[in-house]
């Protein structure tokens, strides 16, 4: 099946900051849209303008498909525009110390692999990429490992999300729809939909 | 045997359609609130797949994020905003969803409108493509923010997959000192537990301080749960909840209401309910609180100095330095006295009647400082109307505040209300992220509406307890 995400490989882009919020990933003015098209070029736009050294400004990282980040990545707003903009920029996997919950869920909905690793390991990986931006990283969801050259670090992901990506069943809509009759039966038991007499 | 489940687990179990082998629950959603920013792509998904809205009666839309708060005539001056507005109008029309639009009289910030209309009720599961959906937990519901793919799923099936979180009981006991508000309570909790302390948890807020709060104050607390990393926060329903809802438009009447009220009260966590974690705070330890940084946890009591970087945990130092530098503030300096350029009273955190009444009481008879631009943006058209009946707009305008139409406004600045350059804004909203208020270099200080009012008058961060003329 074409939707299976068993591993992601490619060059990496390191952004070892903590508490990167979704307003920074995609500023609110770019939410004035009715499609997600074109969001890729605005990823981290304001941070990039203020910091010429921002990794997303460096051509050496411009082909990266794995983002390496710090703690609580993607906190703040529920805007799916954030992972959409990263995905459209070229990111297929985010490797971070931890994620904000809604952002993590949004990544799952889009088939973006959001996996965690220890800070020490991430710092090592970031250093290796800084030393050689062409270094290819392989994030294997099957082995729960990220390897880059000689470096191999354990990564983690909740089973349900991992399974969905590996089997390609991260398009949850189809699965939800398949239970339509159970949903209907269930609705008949919810007190506030039944005059509080159930 | 008594039911030792906490409210969260009782409500969750009631909505559990099925549990998958991987542990995820397909959860039935009782109320789906929609707004113009996170819904257009979701309706597109439905169109692509030729799907309908499964339960249109459980779905309700309003417009808030992009609406101008001055000239609301159509088409909007901002072509992109106009396009989004037309999209939600067309989508709601085509899919049979009720839209409370600008002409409706009930329009406003989605998290103000839901409770105001009595759509939000105890025991419900409530979702919205907006992280501050946690606000609705103030009624004893499970209310969570979701992304656009989830919006499409809920539109098409009235369900979504979720993993059951753990539940942390946050107990706050004691009486709040004068000048200390619900906003200070939640800022204090976030400061103590950190911006990611709540990841993986739902928060139950309880204790005598929370019990004593009005429903509007409880909404302020629950609203910012997400700023502490908790996707959901709630307060157990009590008689105040019942009385708040009685007679509201979407609430049952007569015998049905009595049945509803009786059921709501059974949902509350019992004295022996079980939790995964518990923390206890003392109201007496909470001061009027102000954020000084770029995350909502970076706050201090108004009488306290900013942190010294070297005193902080090593893992925090980079972020604290980044924040101080961005804010143009020096470590160890007092936060009181920080000059401001803009004062914003509004947002789903603090734009309800009790917020406006308190802010008006503070500014009455005073003038906004020279060089400070001050605006009041009511949370909904109904709040605005009520405030005007009480003459609050005149109090604000006499003091030099601008009195605006309802919407999100400068909370996230998707409409024309934006900070300029490096302006500093004293704001009653919920996020102080870099660039949040519309200028990439703009700076936000979060505080209670009363503190914003005092800052507007003084032109700098002031301690509401010392503010001349306002007996707090
Ligand atoms: S007021 Fe602010 S936080 Fe609340 S819904 Fe609007 S933009 Fe979001």
């Amino acid at each position: 099946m074409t939707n299976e995400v068993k591993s992601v490989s490619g060059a990496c882009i390191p952004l070892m900051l903590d508490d990167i919020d979704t307003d920074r990933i995609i500023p609110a003015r770019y939410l004035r849209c009715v499609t997600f098209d074109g969001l890729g070029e605005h990823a981290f736009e304001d941070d990039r303008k203020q910091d010429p050294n921002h990794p997303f400004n460096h051509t050496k990282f411009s082909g990266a498909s794995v983002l390496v980040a710090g703690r609580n990545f993607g906190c703040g707003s529920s805007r799916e525009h954030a992972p959409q903009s990263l995905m459209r920029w070229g990111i297929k996997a985010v490797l971070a110390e931890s994620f904000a919950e809604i952002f993590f869920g949004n990544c799952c909905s889009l088939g973006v692999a959001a996996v965690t690793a220890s800070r020490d390991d991430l710092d090592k990986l970031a250093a290796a990429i800084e030393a050689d931006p062409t270094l290819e990283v392989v994030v294997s969801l099957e082995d729960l490992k990220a390897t880059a050259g000689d470096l191999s670090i354990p990564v983690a992901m909740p089973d349900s999300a991992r399974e969905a990506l590996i089997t390609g069943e991260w398009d949850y809509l189809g699965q939800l729809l398949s239970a339509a009759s159970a949903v209907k039966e269930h609705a008949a038991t919810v007190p506030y939909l039944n005059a509080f007499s159930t | 045997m008594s039911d030792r489940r906490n409210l969260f687990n009782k409500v969750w179990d009631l909505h559990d359609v099925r549990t998958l082998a991987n542990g995820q629950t397909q959860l039935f959603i009782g109320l789906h609130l929609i707004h113009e920013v996170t819904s257009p792509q979701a309706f597109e998904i439905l169109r692509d797949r030729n799907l309908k809205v499964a339960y249109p009666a459980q779905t309700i839309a309003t417009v808030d994020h992009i609406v101008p708060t001055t000239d609301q005539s159509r088409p909007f001056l901002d072509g992109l905003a106009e396009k989004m507005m037309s999209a939600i109008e067309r989508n709601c029309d085509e899919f049979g969803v009720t839209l409370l639009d600008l002409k409706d009289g009930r329009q406003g910030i989605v998290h103000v409108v839901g409770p105001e209309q009595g759509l939000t009720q105890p025991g419900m599961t409530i979702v919205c493509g907006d992280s501050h959906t946690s606000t609705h937990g103030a009624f004893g519901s499970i209310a969570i923010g979701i992304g656009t793919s989830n919006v499409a799923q809920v539109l098409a099936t009235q369900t979504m997959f979720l993993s059951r979180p753990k539940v942390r009981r946050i107990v706050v006991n004691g009486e709040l000192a004068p000048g200390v508000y619900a906003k200070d309570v939640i800022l204090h909790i976030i400061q103590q537990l950190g911006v990611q302390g709540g990841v993986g948890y739902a928060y139950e807020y309880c204790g005598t301080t929370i019990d004593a709060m009005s429903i509007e104050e409880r909404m302020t607390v629950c609203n910012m749960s997400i700023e502490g990393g908790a996707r959901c926060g709630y307060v157990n329903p009590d008689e105040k909840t019942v009385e708040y809802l009685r007679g509201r438009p979407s609430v049952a009447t007569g015998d049905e209401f009595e049945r509803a009220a009786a059921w709501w009260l059974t949902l509350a966590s019992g004295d022996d309910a079980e939790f995964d974690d518990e923390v206890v705070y003392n109201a007496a330890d909470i001061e009027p609180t102000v954020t000084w940084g770029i995350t909502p946890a970076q706050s201090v009591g108004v009488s306290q100095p900013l942190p010294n970087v070297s005193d902080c945990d090593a893992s925090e130092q980079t972020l604290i330095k980044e924040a101080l530098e961005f804010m143009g503030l020096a470590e160890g300096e007092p936060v009181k006295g920080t000059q401001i350029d803009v004062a914003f009273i509004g947002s789903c955190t603090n734009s309800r009647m009790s917020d406006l009444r308190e802010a008006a009481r503070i500014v009455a008879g005073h003038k906004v400082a020279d060089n400070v631009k001050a605006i009041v943006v009511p949370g909904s058209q109904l709040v605005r109307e009520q405030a005007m009946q009480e003459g609050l707009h005149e109090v604000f305008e006499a003091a030099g505040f601008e009195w605006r139409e309802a919407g999100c406004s400068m909370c996230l600045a998707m409409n024309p209300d934006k900070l300029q350059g490096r302006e500093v804004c004293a704001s009653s909203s919920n996020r102080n992220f870099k660039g949040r208020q519309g200028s990439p270099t703009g700076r936000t200080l979060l505080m209670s509406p009363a503190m914003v009012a005092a800052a507007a008058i003084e032109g700098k961060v002031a301690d509401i307890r010392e503010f001349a003329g306002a007996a707090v």
Side-chain angles (χ1 to χ4, degrees):
Chain A
M1 198 171 147
T2 52
N3 286 341
E4 291 170 6
V5 184
K6 295 190 164 131
S7 72
V8 174
S9 53
C12 266
I13 179 165
L15 185 69
M16 291 307 294
L17 295 172
D18 294 328
D19 297 329
I20 292 287
D21 60 73
T22 52
D23 279 82
R24 285 171 77 172
I25 299 173
I26 185 82
R29 59 183 178 280
Y30 295 114
L31 273 50
R32 283 149 58 245
C33 58
V34 294
T35 78
F36 292 123
D37 298 344
L39 287 180
E41 61 187 283
H42 301 299
F44 288 109
E45 183 159 299
D46 290 346
D47 278 10
R48 287 161 64 186
K49 277 197 186 139
Q50 288 167 65
D51 178 9
N53 258 325
H54 194 280
F56 277 71
N57 279 336
H58 279 295
T59 46
K60 62 181 178 189
F61 295 128
S62 62
S65 45
V66 179
L67 174 62
V68 182
R71 185 192 66 193
N72 200 27
F73 188 77
C75 60
S77 139
S78 67
R79 60 187 72 160
E80 200 162 298
H81 306 66
Q84 280 277 0
S85 75
L86 295 177
M87 188 175 86
R88 284 158 197 270
W89 189 87
I91 298 297
K92 297 189 179 72
V94 187
L95 202 49
E97 190 183 347
S98 62
F99 293 96
E101 240 167 285
I102 307 180
F103 180 87
F104 177 83
N106 286 340
C107 285
C108 293
S109 300
L110 299 176
V112 172
V115 296
T116 55
S118 78
R119 186 59 171 242
D120 276 356
D121 284 343
L122 290 169
D123 283 337
K124 276 186 220 152
L125 180 60
I129 304 158
E130 289 289 358
D132 177 10
T134 64
L135 195 64
E136 194 190 65
V137 179
V138 180
V139 182
S140 165
L141 300 185
E142 288 180 311
D143 303 340
L144 286 177
K145 252 196 248 159
T147 44
D150 302 338
L151 189 67
S152 173
I153 64 172
V155 300
M157 190 178 210
D159 285 344
S160 55
R162 176 171 166 244
E163 207 183 281
L165 286 170
I166 290 178
T167 58
E169 287 179 4
W170 46 269
D171 169 21
Y172 300 103
L173 183 49
Q175 293 177 62
L176 291 165
L177 280 166
S178 72
S181 59
V183 174
K184 201 164 168 198
E185 277 167 36
H186 196 88
T189 68
V190 175
Y192 54 85
L193 295 183
N194 297 282
F196 300 95
S197 17
T198 54
Chain B
M1 210 185 92
S2 74
D3 190 345
R4 297 192 64 192
R5 288 175 303 166
N6 54 53
L7 175 138
F8 186 93
N9 287 329
K10 289 183 202 172
V11 177
W12 180 281
D13 292 344
L14 193 70
H15 294 84
D16 178 347
V17 176
R18 58 173 179 152
T19 302
L20 303 184
N22 66 21
Q24 288 215 302
T25 303
Q26 181 167 0
L27 203 67
F28 184 81
I29 303 302
L31 175 65
H32 186 191
L33 300 165
I34 284 176
H35 64 79
E36 74 281 19
V37 178
T38 54
S39 68
Q41 296 88 345
F43 281 111
E44 248 355 277
I45 293 174
L46 263 59
R47 255 187 217 107
D48 278 355
R49 302 206 185 189
N50 210 8
L51 294 167
K52 290 197 185 55
V53 173
Y55 292 77
Q58 304 312 117
T59 313
I60 191 141
T62 190
V63 287
D64 50 9
H65 287 66
I66 54 151
V67 300
T69 56
T70 47
D71 179 4
Q72 296 192 325
S73 53
R74 303 281 300 272
F76 296 148
L77 288 173
D78 176 355
L80 293 173
E82 177 60 30
K83 205 166 160 188
M84 295 176 78
M85 195 68 162
S86 314
I88 195 164
E89 287 167 341
R90 181 169 76 101
N91 288 331
C92 287
D93 187 47
E94 188 179 324
F95 287 90
V97 173
T98 303
L99 170 65
L100 308 180
D101 67 7
L102 290 177
K103 299 183 294 292
D104 183 89
R106 295 171 291 174
Q107 169 269 339
I109 304 173
V110 63
H111 312 308
V112 176
V113 168
E116 191 172 73
Q117 290 302 317
L119 292 160
T120 303
Q121 296 177 16
M124 282 182 168
T125 42
I126 303 176
V127 298
C128 174
D130 192 284
S131 58
H132 292 100
T133 307
S134 57
T135 314
H136 306 263
F139 291 79
S141 54
I142 294 181
I144 61 168
I146 59 176
T148 294
S149 296
N150 301 140
V151 172
Q153 291 154 9
V154 178
L155 285 173
T157 71
Q158 206 60 29
T159 62
M160 62 180 287
F161 289 123
L162 278 163
S163 299
R164 189 193 293 254
K166 292 185 275 189
V167 186
R168 172 179 292 144
R169 172 153 64 176
I170 300 184
V171 188
V172 190
N173 284 326
E175 213 177 310
L176 293 173
V180 181
Y181 299 90
K183 181 65 158 283
D184 303 304
V185 172
I186 187 62
L187 283 174
H188 182 80
I189 292 171
I190 296 166
Q191 180 203 79
Q192 296 295 308
L193 295 174
V195 287
Q196 65 154 15
V199 173
Y201 282 95
Y203 282 171
E204 171 173 316
Y205 302 100
C206 64
T208 59
T209 314
I210 307 292
D211 290 344
M213 284 184 182
S214 69
I215 299 297
E216 294 194 353
E217 292 173 303
R218 294 175 189 178
M219 284 194 248
T220 299
V221 172
C222 291
N223 173 272
M224 289 188 71
S225 303
I226 186 65
E227 308 312 333
R231 203 170 179 182
C232 163
Y234 69 89
V235 176
N236 287 306
D238 60 10
E239 286 302 332
K240 282 185 201 170
T241 320
V242 172
E243 289 319 309
Y244 178 98
L245 288 169
R246 191 188 295 276
R248 295 203 176 251
S250 301
V251 177
T253 54
D255 285 352
E256 191 183 330
F257 181 80
E258 298 313 322
R259 283 200 302 277
W263 180 64
W264 293 339
L265 296 174
T266 65
L267 296 170
S269 305
D271 292 338
D272 58 351
E274 293 173 326
F275 294 88
D276 301 288
D277 189 33
E278 178 175 301
V279 289
V280 182
Y281 299 109
N282 192 341
D285 297 334
I286 307 176
E287 265 204 277
T289 303
V290 181
T291 66
W292 54 266
I294 55 171
T295 82
Q298 292 175 325
S299 67
V300 284
V302 66
S303 69
Q304 305 294 312
L306 304 184
N308 281 305
V309 178
S310 57
D311 297 345
C312 299
D313 196 76
S315 67
E316 297 291 329
Q317 291 187 3
T318 312
L319 187 63
I320 290 175
K321 271 189 234 156
E322 182 191 357
L324 287 169
E325 192 182 326
F326 181 83
M327 296 300 288
L329 295 171
E331 58 178 338
E333 291 294 305
V335 73
K336 195 168 88 179
T338 306
Q339 298 282 332
I340 66 154
D341 307 295
V342 177
F344 170 63
I345 296 176
S347 89
C348 56
T349 316
N350 286 119
S351 63
R352 297 178 181 83
M353 278 314 299
S354 53
D355 302 313
L356 302 191
R357 286 190 191 115
E358 187 63 6
R361 197 176 69 75
I362 309 281
V363 304
H366 295 280
K367 286 275 182 229
V368 169
D370 292 345
N371 307 322
V372 170
K373 177 189 172 75
I375 67 172
V376 185
V377 184
S380 69
Q381 292 181 349
L382 289 175
V383 168
R384 185 170 189 275
E385 197 177 305
Q386 171 73 27
M388 291 176 77
Q389 270 171 25
E390 296 181 17
L392 301 188
H393 64 307
E394 286 162 2
V395 176
F396 283 118
E397 285 178 338
F401 278 82
E402 293 173 37
W403 177 250
R404 299 291 190 84
E405 302 285 344
C408 294
S409 178
M410 210 182 266
C411 173
L412 95 164
M414 275 187 75
N415 76 346
D417 307 333
K418 294 181 188 350
L419 295 184
Q420 305 297 326
R422 296 196 75 214
E423 280 180 342
V424 176
C425 180
S427 180
S428 73
S429 56
N430 44 52
R431 287 195 171 136
N432 52 345
F433 299 154
K434 284 182 173 181
R436 172 72 179 182
Q437 294 192 285
S439 164
T441 51
R443 296 170 284 175
T444 303
L445 307 171
L446 302 175
M447 57 190 85
S448 70
M451 285 279 284
V452 175
I457 305 299
E458 300 261 326
K460 56 189 187 218
V461 175
D463 187 338
I464 186 70
R465 296 167 299 185
E466 300 162 353
F467 182 69
V472 290

